[in-house]
Amino acid sequence: MDKLSIVVPVYYNEDNLRPLYRDIKEKVLDKRTFDYEIVMVDDGSLDKSWDVMKELADQDEHIRLVHLSRNFGSHAAILCGLTASTGDCAVVKAADLQEPSELIPEMYQAWKEGSNVVLAVRKEREDKSFFSELYYWLMRKVALPSMPKHGFDVFLIDRKVIKTLELMDEKNSALTGQILWSGFKTKIVYYNRRAREIGKSKWTLKKKFKLVFDTLFSFSTVPITVVTWLGVISAAIAVIWGLSVFVSKLLGRIPVQGFAMLFIFQLFSFGTIMMTLGLLGNYLWRTFDASRGRPIYIVEERYEKADGGQSHAEDTDQEQRYPSVY
């Protein structure tokens, strides 16, 4: 019997977890035709999420828990869950109950029919988001042409794709972009995204902008191309302006007096230089960050009923069986 892993990244979701498990159990697990496990990864929550997760693990021996030492971001938490999973395929499910659990059997069936990747794409959404639509439009235009129109957060991938993601070993990147870039056989299923009813999203503006920059710098040459052309245009303007002043003097015409135009041009040139340095700095920082070899995430603790309901911290002896860092 095939085994499906359900990976749930958790960040300040203490009020969502019990309803989430009940929903998955009622709509997926009680009707399943496959073996399963649920891998929940606490991405450094400071609420009672970990306690609720352990409560659920005590109820269901198929639930495995991982607690990260701090908040490493959704990319790291999901990758941690996928790495810890043991199923033939794994589906990533958000903990906020905005995606219907009925998607999971549909995605599993698509995998059984031969797809390596199954994307759950939003057809409509009750919580309209201008930023989200702008982000996915931008990604389709400049970075990932295969990005679905309304994007995706829920997806199923098989073991082959999971191993590929592990081999990429990329920080400051977007997991959804890596999946699309890998090019495996993909199928799309559509759903209507619900409005959030419990809790508040921790998806801050800062995290949104980081996602934009990580995706652009990881999958597109547009930023460096734009700055290059800006430099070319600036240089061309300077040459044309200099020639026009020179010709005016030769013809005896009176040039424009004052420093206003000169100041504007210097300000434009300074802004262009600083923007270029900032852009190059982003590339250099990502290169430096990767060269240090620091792990994408650090596991502080694991918990599952199969271990007798005991938490255990990571140590050197467990590292081969339970890798504490990636």
Side-chain angles (χ1 to χ4, degrees), residues 172-210:
N172 301 308
S173 186
L175 200 65
T176 52
Q178 292 181 356
I179 292 171
L180 293 176
W181 177 86
S182 63
F184 287 99
K185 184 178 180 181
T186 302
K187 183 174 180 178
I188 293 176
V189 297
Y190 293 93
Y191 73 100
N192 294 329
R193 180 180 169 91
R194 305 164 181 164
R196 183 164 184 158
E197 297 180 358
I198 303 175
K200 294 184 178 179
S201 173
K202 298 297 182 180
W203 191 235
T204 62
L205 186 62
K206 179 181 178 181
K207 291 182 178 179
K208 291 177 181 178
F209 276 110
K210 184 179 186 304

Side-chain angles (χ1 to χ4, degrees), residues 208-280:
K208 291 177 181 178
F209 276 110
K210 184 179 186 304
L211 176 64
V212 173
F213 294 140
D214 286 345
T215 308
L216 284 176
F217 289 129
S218 297
F219 301 100
S220 175
T221 59
V222 167
I224 198 69
T225 302
V226 169
V227 168
T228 301
W229 278 105
L230 192 58
V232 171
I233 293 172
S234 299
I237 291 174
V239 171
I240 294 172
W241 196 351
L243 288 175
S244 67
V245 171
F246 179 72
V247 171
S248 295
K249 287 185 177 181
L250 287 180
L251 297 178
R253 297 176 181 174
I254 300 175
V256 179
Q257 299 296 323
F259 294 96
M261 294 301 294
L262 180 60
F263 177 76
I264 291 172
F265 182 73
Q266 287 180 332
L267 187 63
F268 176 74
S269 300
F270 177 77
T272 302
I273 292 171
M274 293 305 294
M275 186 171 64
T276 304
L277 290 175
L279 181 65
L280 294 176

Side-chain angles (χ1 to χ4, degrees), residues 39-262:
V39 182
M40 294 184 175
V41 181
D42 188 339
D43 190 19
S45 304
L46 298 178
D47 61 357
K48 296 181 180 179
S49 294
W50 181 246
D51 294 330
V52 177
M53 290 163 64
K54 290 196 290 185
E55 175 188 316
L56 294 174
D58 289 337
Q59 297 175 20
D60 189 339
E61 64 181 9
H62 293 88
I63 296 179
R64 303 171 58 207
L65 309 180
V66 182
H67 192 292
L68 302 186
S69 61
R70 64 171 177 83
N71 177 238
F72 286 89
S74 60
H75 172 96
I78 294 172
L79 184 61
C80 174
L82 293 173
T83 303
S85 68
T86 60
D88 299 292
C89 60
V91 60
V92 174
K93 177 81 166 68
D96 53 19
L97 292 169
Q98 291 186 263
E99 293 84 17
S101 297
E102 294 90 338
L103 279 171
I104 296 177
E106 186 178 356
M107 298 169 75
Y108 175 78
Q109 184 58 38
W111 171 75
K112 289 286 288 183
E113 293 171 358
S115 298
N116 302 111
V117 177
V118 185
L119 308 179
V121 176
R122 309 180 189 104
K123 187 176 182 180
E124 297 291 341
R125 58 185 300 165
E126 296 177 6
D127 57 334
K128 300 295 183 182
S129 172
F130 172 77
F131 179 89
S132 178
E133 295 300 316
L134 179 62
Y135 167 75
Y136 290 118
W137 175 84
L138 182 64
M139 293 306 104
R140 289 198 311 276
K141 295 298 182 182
V142 303
L144 298 162
S146 58
M147 176 68 73
K149 183 177 181 181
H150 297 293
F152 67 98
D153 294 318
V154 177
F155 55 86
L156 181 148
I157 54 179
D158 65 12
R159 183 54 52 183
K160 183 189 301 183
V161 184
I162 293 173
K163 290 181 178 179
T164 300
L165 295 178
E166 292 174 352
L167 288 173
M168 286 185 183
D169 191 23
E170 292 184 19
K171 291 184 286 186
N172 301 308
S173 186
L175 200 65
T176 52
Q178 292 181 356
I179 292 171
L180 293 176
W181 177 86
S182 63
F184 287 99
K185 184 178 180 181
T186 302
K187 183 174 180 178
I188 293 176
V189 297
Y190 293 93
Y191 73 100
N192 294 329
R193 180 180 169 91
R194 305 164 181 164
R196 183 164 184 158
E197 297 180 358
I198 303 175
K200 294 184 178 179
S201 173
K202 298 297 182 180
W203 191 235
T204 62
L205 186 62
K206 179 181 178 181
K207 291 182 178 179
K208 291 177 181 178
F209 276 110
K210 184 179 186 304
L211 176 64
V212 173
F213 294 140
D214 286 345
T215 308
L216 284 176
F217 289 129
S218 297
F219 301 100
S220 175
T221 59
V222 167
I224 198 69
T225 302
V226 169
V227 168
T228 301
W229 278 105
L230 192 58
V232 171
I233 293 172
S234 299
I237 291 174
V239 171
I240 294 172
W241 196 351
L243 288 175
S244 67
V245 171
F246 179 72
V247 171
S248 295
K249 287 185 177 181
L250 287 180
L251 297 178
R253 297 176 181 174
I254 300 175
V256 179
Q257 299 296 323
F259 294 96
M261 294 301 294
L262 180 60

Side-chain angles (χ1 to χ4, degrees), residues 11 14 34 60 155 164 184 275 311 318 325:
Y11 188 59
E14 61 175 303
F34 48 81
D60 189 339
F155 55 86
T164 300
F184 287 99
M275 186 171 64
S311 298
Q318 293 171 321
V325 296

